[in-house]
Amino acid sequence: MDKEIENIKKEIKCFHIKTYNDLETFRIKFLGKKKGIVTILFKELKKITICKRKIYGKIINDLKKEVQNKIKIFNSKNDIQKNEKVLKLDPTIPGKSIEIGSIHPLSIIRNRIIDIFIKIGFTYVDGPEIEDDWHNFTALNIPIFHPSRDMQDTFFLCKNPDILLRTHTSSVQIRYMKKHSPPFRVLSIGKVYRNETISSRSNFMFHQAEGFYIDQKVSFSDLKQTIHYLITSFFGEVKIRFRPSYFPFTEPSAEVDIYCNGEWLEIMGCGMIDPQVLENVNIDSEIYSGFAFGLGIERLALIIYQIKDIRIYFDNDIRFLRQFKSEF
Ligand code: PHE
């Protein structure tokens, strides 16, 4: 028995534990519940006399402690190594930074226009970009086959030519007027589409801002004052010129130019809403009158930022986009 114990001792000492798998094999070999060498010795204790049992009990207990010690030593060494691995992460290295973006120049202009009109009591509304013929054209005094349709070359849906990509935000006037009763002051901004060749000055998609005001006794001087307020909010005191123009849905109509860097620049269209348009949406044109205006956001941005090519707004070149701050 003594020799057997010596051999077991040796075996415990010499067992090579390199990995956690080895450790588990070691533990099972000596302390496994059924066949562990030390476990079996404990079981055999019951078979010997009480006197011997005390002596051998202690010896076997020591064996058990040796096995447990070896396990402890391995665990503590490897836990240190684990911790060292964690410590190799240098917490002083700065984390990956998330770059702060900037607001797109067209959004900056858009937000500015909204701010300007909210201050004078306008409500902001959105309208659909996919429109039907009636809202985009017919209700705005542009019946089918009318030559004024040619002013806006349009993307129609092949399958259903009644559906199109809106060519202007004026369709929002119709949608709003149909649902609400006057008075109202409304602003809408969004994408519009025209079948135009892409160049430095034009694109098949651009953004428009549309404003309209309907109440009793709204006159052309209200229109002029509102436009003056809009333009001076952007450009300060500049010369403004109203040039007679034509839109099927306003009468009289005008084009507005500003004098900037020695030249006149056209920035928007406007006019008194044609009484027929009011009638088309069941508003009594004997009682109510109103004005409307529409302007291109890209065009305004070109003037404000003194940019010559409209395409740069859509290239998404961050070197360009980064230059814009929300204040100007
Ligand atoms: N809808 C016109 C256009 O796209 C602009 C406009 C809006 C003109 C409102 C007058 C009044 O050209």
Side-chain angles (χ1 to χ4, degrees):
M1 180 93 175
D2 287 349
K3 212 171 176 204
E4 197 186 330
I5 290 201
E6 276 312 306
N7 283 342
I8 296 172
K9 254 191 187 174
K10 261 189 203 162
E11 243 188 287
I12 292 173
K13 247 193 179 172
C14 298
F15 197 101
H16 238 66
I17 306 174
K18 273 194 171 170
T19 64
Y20 279 97
N21 267 348
D22 297 343
L23 186 74
E24 191 56 4
T25 318
F26 174 74
R27 189 189 63 77
I28 291 169
K29 179 169 182 180
F30 294 100
L31 299 180
K33 262 190 183 172
K34 279 186 183 166
K35 289 182 182 171
I37 294 173
V38 180
T39 316
I40 291 172
L41 287 179
F42 272 121
K43 279 180 191 163
E44 280 176 356
L45 263 186
K46 286 174 199 160
K47 293 178 192 161
I48 57 176
T49 57
I50 299 179
C51 232
K52 278 187 178 174
R53 207 183 289 173
K54 265 194 173 177
I55 303 162
Y56 281 106
K58 193 181 172 308
I59 293 170
I60 300 166
N61 234 345
D62 286 347
L63 281 181
K64 186 182 171 184
K65 273 182 193 163
E66 268 177 55
V67 175
Q68 285 173 333
N69 255 343
K70 205 162 161 147
I71 293 175
K72 243 191 203 168
I73 289 168
F74 180 85
N75 273 336
S76 59
K77 261 192 197 169
N78 284 281
D79 282 350
I80 288 168
Q81 271 175 13
K82 259 194 222 161
N83 286 339
E84 274 174 355
K85 262 186 204 162
V86 173
L87 286 176
K88 269 178 201 152
L89 279 177
D90 181 353
T92 62
I93 294 172
K96 278 186 190 164
S97 62
I98 299 168
E99 271 193 60
I100 297 174
S102 54
I103 302 177
H104 193 283
L106 298 179
S107 299
I108 294 174
I109 305 280
R110 174 185 181 275
N111 296 343
R112 275 279 280 153
I113 295 176
I114 294 175
D115 277 355
I116 288 167
F117 280 100
I118 293 288
K119 276 189 197 146
I120 56 169
F122 276 64
T123 308
Y124 183 81
V125 299
D126 265 330
E129 286 170 31
I130 299 171
E131 256 309 354
D132 56 55
D133 191 287
W134 190 77
H135 286 92
N136 194 85
F137 289 129
T138 313
L140 286 158
N141 281 350
I142 317 172
I144 297 178
F145 305 123
H146 194 282
S148 69
R149 284 206 177 199
D150 293 347
M151 285 162 78
Q152 300 177 357
D153 200 353
T154 312
F155 290 114
F156 288 95
L157 213 73
C158 282
K159 275 191 180 164
N160 181 359
D162 191 43
I163 306 294
L164 49 97
L165 293 178
R166 69 175 176 192
T167 57
H168 53 182
T169 39
S170 300
S171 52
V172 181
Q173 286 185 37
I174 303 299
R175 288 198 172 267
Y176 193 88
M177 291 196 286
K178 257 177 61 188
K179 268 204 186 146
H180 302 82
S181 29
F184 34 63
R185 283 170 278 188
V186 180
L187 175 74
S188 186
I189 300 180
K191 293 189 183 88
V192 298
Y193 302 83
R194 292 185 197 176
N195 185 15
E196 285 187 27
T197 322
I198 304 173
S199 73
S200 62
R201 292 249 130 201
S202 64
N203 193 14
F204 60 88
M205 182 280 296
F206 58 100
H207 297 77
Q208 270 191 343
E210 182 96 10
F212 56 101
Y213 175 27
I214 292 174
D215 202 343
Q216 294 180 27
K217 299 189 179 125
V218 176
S219 70
F220 200 86
S221 58
D222 297 313
L223 167 61
K224 278 184 87 173
Q225 187 52 43
T226 309
I227 303 282
H228 181 268
Y229 163 69
L230 168 66
I231 291 179
T232 51
S233 301
F234 269 107
F235 299 99
E237 282 303 326
V238 284
K239 274 192 202 165
I240 302 172
R241 180 170 80 180
F242 284 74
R243 236 181 330 107
S245 184
Y246 170 76
F247 297 104
F249 39 90
T250 49
E251 180 60 34
S253 305
E255 213 94 48
V256 183
D257 304 333
I258 58 165
Y259 195 69
C260 216
N261 300 328
E263 55 176 338
W264 285 103
L265 301 167
E266 178 195 317
I267 66 168
M268 60 200 291
C270 63
M272 299 307 292
I273 296 175
D274 191 311
Q276 183 58 50
V277 173
L278 298 179
E279 296 298 332
N280 290 346
V281 288
N282 298 323
I283 291 176
D284 190 340
S285 61
E286 295 288 331
I287 302 173
Y288 292 104
S289 56
F291 65 74
F293 57 86
L295 67 147
I297 306 280
E298 280 80 353
R299 173 170 282 262
L300 197 59
L302 289 181
I303 299 171
I304 287 168
Y305 295 122
Q306 305 205 357
I307 289 164
K308 296 234 149 53
D309 195 324
I310 204 173
R311 289 169 287 197
I312 200 164
Y313 289 123
F314 307 111
D315 281 347
N316 283 333
D317 182 338
I318 53 172
R319 290 167 304 176
F320 169 73
L321 296 174
R322 252 197 217 125
Q323 299 172 44
F324 295 91
K325 306 233 161 61
S326 45
E327 300 295 326
F328 56 81

